[in-house]
Amino acid sequence: MATLEKIRQRKKILAIVIGAALLAFIIEVGIEAIGRSGGNSAAANVGSEKIDIMHFSREVEKAAAEAQQNNNQDQMDPAVRQQQVLDEMINEKLLENEYKSLGITVSDKEISELMIGKSPAPAVTQFAQQVGAKSPLELYEFIQDPGKQGVDKSQVQELKNQWDKIQADIVKQYKFAKMQNLLAGCMQANDLDRAQLAEEGAVTNVITFAKKDYASLADDKYPVSDAELKAEWEKLKPMFKLEEEGRAIHFIAVDIAPSAEDIAAANKIADAAYLALQKGRGIDSVRVLGTVHIDSTIVTKDKLPAKVRDFFAGAEVGSVRRDTTTGEHHQMYKLINKQMSIDSVMLSYVSVQGDAKMQNTVREQLNSGKSIDDLKKAYPQKVDGKTGEWQRLYGIADSLKNKIANAALGTYFVYNSADQGAILMKVDEKKASKMFYTLATISYDAYASTKTSDNLRDKFQDFLNKNKTAKDFRENAAKAGYNAIDAVVTPSTAQLSSQFSRGIKDTRKAVKWAFDNKKDMVSPIFSDNNDVLIAVAIDDIYDTGYLPYTFEQGKQMLTQRVRNNKKGEDLMKQYKGKAKDLNGYAALMGTKVDTARVAFASMGDPKLGQEPGLIGRIATAKPGTLQGPWKGENAVIVYQIVKQEKEERKPTKEELDNRYAQARGIQALVNPQSIYHILSKATKVTKHLIDFY
């Protein structure tokens, strides 16, 4: 049957794609890495259970193979993929343990209904359609008993593997949905909740206010002592709790960028390419340069590159255009051909198994008015087909394009035939012809030469030789033209990032070095695929407990809080009781009176800034009464309610239930990330992946 042939063909393609992906990917984590980890074979521990390193390695291989199958240009940092896979495996184990505790299962009957029932899961239906089966049930029966169609069981093993994977994924999704529903049932609004929500949104207070932002005051007039920082840290200590051990580091990333000399050389190559491109109608004269990238495409006018669209729309074949160039990137275009062609057609096609006589009989009956369904019943297992399939024509072979372009509407013709089978086709509708442009895009990028790369490395190494302590590293970086970036890394840090537009790839070994060495040490140079040079200095080691108040990023936050508090106290002394109305306070503050609208259920008005506690104060204030000055976290504010707007319509029960769900219920808390976070707090999770590098 036609379905069987489609499945056979797809099986070959899948085997080639997946096989190539597995061959192309070599995982760093392997058996030999267990020795480096001191004999530990766990990539992570979840409570008393472990995630075995070899099981983890196989899952990473699968993820890499799938990524390459779906995207041949997959450029994900292997360390990022490994960390993602490990996190997924940890979350899966946390969920499975929770399912056991809650008694959540998926029965065989439920699985059968989800896979081959009256309403299968969309993923199963889509998979069946992709491999040419009429239904999930037909595909399942073929996989279970391929011998019935004369196929050896080993030939459908890849299909079976995919079917099993889809089933496993659907079972996971169904279990999670059951847990979500269970939790959602425990988080429903009651009458008191609805009354509170209705009250919170019932009144909008219109206020006039004046405020003095702390940012307008000079920081140097409000020094912050070490003792004050420590006291503030004690108040906020839970915020600094360590989930994993950490290392406070500074790192320098040196981009290996082309020099002015390299860019000048690239300009010469690009100029030569442009001159060569202007010769003749083709692009062979450019190919001989060898260093440029050439890409050809056939598109309609609206798909031409925007910068050259108008030019090529009216240009002659052979015309060239050079796009605006930067110092490091050059791009140019050549119009190879333009041709009027049918844009797309609606087709019906029928596959026939049988000799020429059978093929002619089916074609004649179709053209006499018989439907595909009629013929499928008349010739079971020999006729199959589809109707109403739109096909774009400009990208297909000229032989088929010409057949379709010249075919009469509504009449089946032989597209392809052999002794024992044929494909019949009918054109149901043709869209109007359009102009298609064959456009060649030629690009060239400037790269750092070996000389440039060596010079950058030598200069960086000289800096490291002269700055062998973390203190010297961070204090002298700017003088040498480098930017020392502070960070706190953990065993789960897969990739360093910086002001670069991307995460810096292949930096896992630099992170590993930070965990293998002592405080105040400076690393050797690590290379990021020869694009970036990296060195790390260890400022401090945080093993357990809490991040100290001295770590740089936390210290900045604490300093601002202490300083803002001092500024607020100072302003309160200057303003409190010194004016009788808003205009008077605005004059003292050197600002103007403004207006804002605030409802208790809202996030406040952006004009007021982020001020915890202010919304509650406004909600309980007496209208028409001057309030303040009040010291906030970021400003001193004086305000008064000038108008209260009541909600014209009372919200319905359904609306209040939706508000509850968004703020406190299922939408706010019963989502994957929230559930993973809660479960990881209830079960001790320890990650060991860094030990295997």
Side-chain angles (χ1 to χ4, degrees):
M1 66 178 181
T3 295
L4 173 58
E5 183 57 29
K6 290 176 186 175
I7 291 174
R8 282 172 169 163
Q9 292 301 320
R10 179 165 176 79
K11 187 256 180 187
K12 294 175 185 176
I13 294 170
L14 288 170
I16 292 169
V17 171
I18 293 174
L22 287 172
L23 286 172
F25 181 76
I26 302 175
I27 188 172
E28 289 186 35
V29 178
I31 297 174
E32 72 280 0
I34 296 177
R36 297 198 297 273
S37 69
N40 176 31
S41 63
N45 289 94
V46 182
S48 59
E49 299 178 83
K50 80 172 184 178
I51 294 174
D52 183 74
I53 190 65
M54 298 311 296
H55 179 204
F56 161 76
S57 298
R58 288 191 293 272
E59 291 301 310
V60 175
E61 287 180 8
K62 289 179 187 177
E66 288 176 7
Q68 290 201 4
Q69 180 182 345
N70 296 329
N71 177 11
N72 291 331
Q73 301 300 317
D74 176 48
Q75 298 294 320
M76 180 179 284
D77 187 338
V80 173
R81 176 179 287 116
Q82 290 162 13
Q83 194 61 53
Q84 288 180 355
V85 170
L86 183 61
D87 288 340
E88 289 170 5
M89 294 177 76
I90 289 170
N91 291 337
E92 191 173 310
K93 195 165 282 293
L94 288 169
L95 286 174
E96 283 299 327
N97 291 340
E98 192 66 14
Y99 296 151
K100 289 178 184 177
S101 298
L102 297 172
I104 293 175
T105 60
V106 180
S107 67
D108 291 343
K109 182 179 179 181
E110 288 173 315
I111 294 172
S112 179
E113 188 62 34
L114 288 165
M115 297 298 290
I116 57 174
K118 292 181 179 179
S119 300
V124 189
T125 301
Q126 183 180 7
F127 178 53
Q129 291 172 346
Q130 285 175 345
V131 299
K134 298 175 188 176
S135 67
L137 179 59
E138 182 187 68
L139 177 58
Y140 175 73
E141 290 175 343
F142 171 71
I143 292 172
Q144 293 300 113
D145 188 11
K148 188 176 181 181
Q149 301 295 335
V151 179
D152 187 82
K153 209 165 189 175
S154 62
Q155 292 182 283
V156 298
Q157 186 59 47
E158 183 56 43
L159 283 175
K160 184 178 186 306
N161 292 343
Q162 290 191 70
W163 178 275
D164 292 342
K165 183 181 184 304
I166 291 171
Q167 178 174 306
D169 289 342
I170 288 172
V171 169
K172 290 177 187 176
Q173 293 167 13
Y174 201 54
K175 282 184 178 180
F176 191 82
K178 283 187 174 186
M179 185 171 71
Q180 281 185 307
N181 290 334
L182 182 64
L183 293 173
C186 300
M187 303 175 70
Q188 300 295 321
N190 57 34
D191 290 340
L192 289 175
D193 294 321
R194 296 188 192 97
Q196 182 182 1
L197 288 168
E199 185 179 354
E200 288 176 358
V203 176
T204 297
N205 288 303
V206 180
I207 68 167
T208 51
F209 69 94
K211 71 177 181 126
K212 181 71 171 179
D213 290 316
Y214 301 151
S216 65
L217 304 181
D219 288 348
D220 57 8
K221 293 184 179 179
Y222 301 90
V224 177
S225 69
D226 188 74
E228 289 170 326
L229 286 177
K230 188 174 182 180
E232 188 69 16
W233 176 81
E234 289 286 354
K235 294 179 188 176
L236 304 174
K237 195 172 180 180
M239 291 176 56
F240 292 81
K241 184 172 177 57
L242 277 170
E243 300 297 336
E244 294 183 279
E245 62 176 316
R247 299 292 184 270
I249 66 168
H250 274 78
F251 70 92
I252 294 173
V254 179
D255 198 0
I256 304 180
S259 65
E261 188 177 308
D262 297 330
I263 292 172
N267 288 339
K268 289 182 180 179
I269 294 174
D271 290 342
Y274 189 62
L275 288 173
L277 192 64
Q278 293 174 315
K279 299 176 182 178
R281 294 169 65 90
I283 53 176
D284 289 341
S285 56
V286 180
R287 293 187 193 280
V288 298
L289 292 173
T291 54
V292 296
H293 176 75
I294 302 172
D295 185 32
S296 295
T297 184
I298 303 173
V299 294
T300 52
K301 178 183 175 181
D302 60 309
K303 295 296 190 298
L304 287 168
K307 291 182 179 180
V308 295
R309 184 177 300 146
D310 292 338
F311 172 77
F312 281 118
E316 297 294 325
V317 172
S319 297
V320 296
R321 193 76 165 182
R322 194 169 184 173
D323 196 356
T324 303
T325 61
T326 65
E328 299 178 23
H329 179 71
H330 301 266
Q331 193 154 288
M332 52 205 83
Y333 307 91
K334 183 162 190 171
L335 185 60
I336 303 299
N337 191 29
K338 59 181 183 179
Q339 180 182 12
M340 291 295 292
S341 177
I342 295 174
D343 179 23
S344 55
V345 294
M346 181 188 287
L347 300 173
S348 295
Y349 58 89
V350 176
S351 62
V352 182
Q353 292 188 28
D355 57 18
K357 182 178 179 181
M358 174 69 176
Q359 298 167 23
N360 288 330
T361 299
V362 171
R363 183 165 63 87
E364 289 171 1
Q365 291 189 39
L366 285 168
N367 286 331
S368 68
K370 291 280 187 180
S371 70
I372 294 175
D373 287 339
D374 291 337
L375 292 174
K376 284 164 71 174
K377 292 176 182 176
Y379 305 103
Q381 308 297 322
K382 291 184 176 295
V383 174
D384 198 1
K386 284 189 177 182
T387 61
E389 296 280 316
W390 280 100
Q391 172 69 52
R392 303 296 297 269
L393 291 188
Y394 64 84
I396 66 176
D398 287 339
S399 57
L400 176 57
K401 185 191 300 182
N402 293 334
K403 277 187 179 181
I404 293 174
N406 297 323
L409 290 177
T411 301
Y412 279 93
F413 63 92
V414 178
Y415 159 56
N416 197 1
S417 66
D419 291 341
Q420 295 300 319
I423 299 292
L424 310 177
M425 193 173 288
K426 178 184 65 158
V427 180
D428 298 311
E429 185 180 341
K430 297 180 183 179
K431 286 196 173 179
S433 296
K434 289 183 179 181
M435 181 67 76
F436 287 90
Y437 301 81
T438 303
L439 190 70
T441 303
I442 297 88
S443 56
Y444 180 73
D445 292 317
Y447 296 99
S449 63
T450 301
K451 177 183 175 183
T452 298
S453 299
D454 289 345
N455 288 341
L456 289 169
R457 179 179 284 272
D458 290 345
K459 180 188 173 188
F460 194 24
Q461 186 62 59
D462 183 60
F463 169 80
L464 297 178
N465 291 340
K466 294 175 181 177
N467 298 276
K468 296 185 177 181
T469 67
K471 182 175 182 293
D472 291 340
F473 181 94
R474 61 179 180 266
E475 290 183 355
N476 296 328
K479 299 174 189 175
Y482 300 123
N483 180 20
I485 303 162
D486 67 283
V488 175
V489 295
T490 73
S492 299
T493 302
Q495 188 180 73
L496 292 174
S497 61
S498 68
Q499 79 279 15
F500 286 61
S501 60
R502 63 193 186 282
I504 308 175
K505 294 176 64 177
D506 297 336
T507 54
R508 187 72 163 167
K509 289 180 180 177
V511 175
K512 167 69 170 171
W513 181 92
F515 279 86
D516 286 346
N517 289 277
K518 298 178 181 179
K519 180 178 177 179
D520 209 35
M521 291 185 68
V522 175
S523 77
I525 295 174
F526 294 95
S527 178
D528 165 25
N529 282 346
N530 297 319
D531 293 323
V532 181
L533 304 176
I534 300 154
V536 173
I538 306 172
D539 299 316
D540 210 343
I541 294 175
Y542 310 138
D543 287 330
T544 57
Y546 299 85
L547 284 170
Y549 68 92
T550 52
F551 98 95
E552 192 158 339
Q553 295 171 13
K555 186 176 182 179
Q556 291 174 7
M557 183 269 287
L558 293 169
T559 299
Q560 184 179 25
R561 286 181 61 87
V562 174
R563 181 172 284 130
N564 279 356
N565 185 60
K566 288 187 173 186
K567 289 179 178 180
E569 293 291 346
D570 189 21
L571 291 177
M572 289 295 286
K573 290 177 183 177
Q574 295 179 41
Y575 301 150
K576 193 170 184 179
K578 302 295 176 64
K580 295 182 179 179
D581 56 25
L582 268 177
N583 288 326
Y585 278 111
L588 287 171
M589 294 175 176
T591 186
K592 294 181 179 179
V593 175
D594 203 348
T595 303
R597 297 166 54 83
V598 181
F600 187 80
S602 73
M603 297 297 292
D605 192 305
K607 295 178 185 178
L608 297 170
Q610 293 295 320
E611 289 295 352
L614 182 58
I615 293 176
R617 288 176 176 273
I618 293 172
T620 57
K622 185 178 179 181
T625 303
L626 189 67
Q627 304 291 324
W630 175 72
K631 186 185 75 172
E633 291 190 0
N634 300 291
V636 166
I637 301 174
V638 184
Y639 64 92
Q640 66 182 32
I641 298 173
V642 295
K643 183 181 178 182
Q644 288 188 319
E645 298 175 347
K646 294 186 178 180
E647 196 171 33
E648 294 182 1
R649 182 182 64 84
K650 290 185 178 181
T652 64
K653 178 179 178 296
E654 289 74 18
E655 289 171 335
L656 292 171
D657 286 342
N658 287 335
R659 287 186 194 177
Y660 183 88
Q662 292 172 4
R664 308 168 200 172
I666 181 171
Q667 293 182 33
L669 298 173
V670 187
N671 58 70
Q673 291 309 314
S674 294
I675 289 174
Y676 296 151
H677 181 71
I678 292 168
L679 292 179
S680 66
K681 294 292 184 182
T683 302
K684 184 178 180 181
V685 175
T686 310
K687 302 175 185 178
H688 309 290
L689 191 54
I690 197 169
D691 296 335
F692 295 89
Y693 284 87

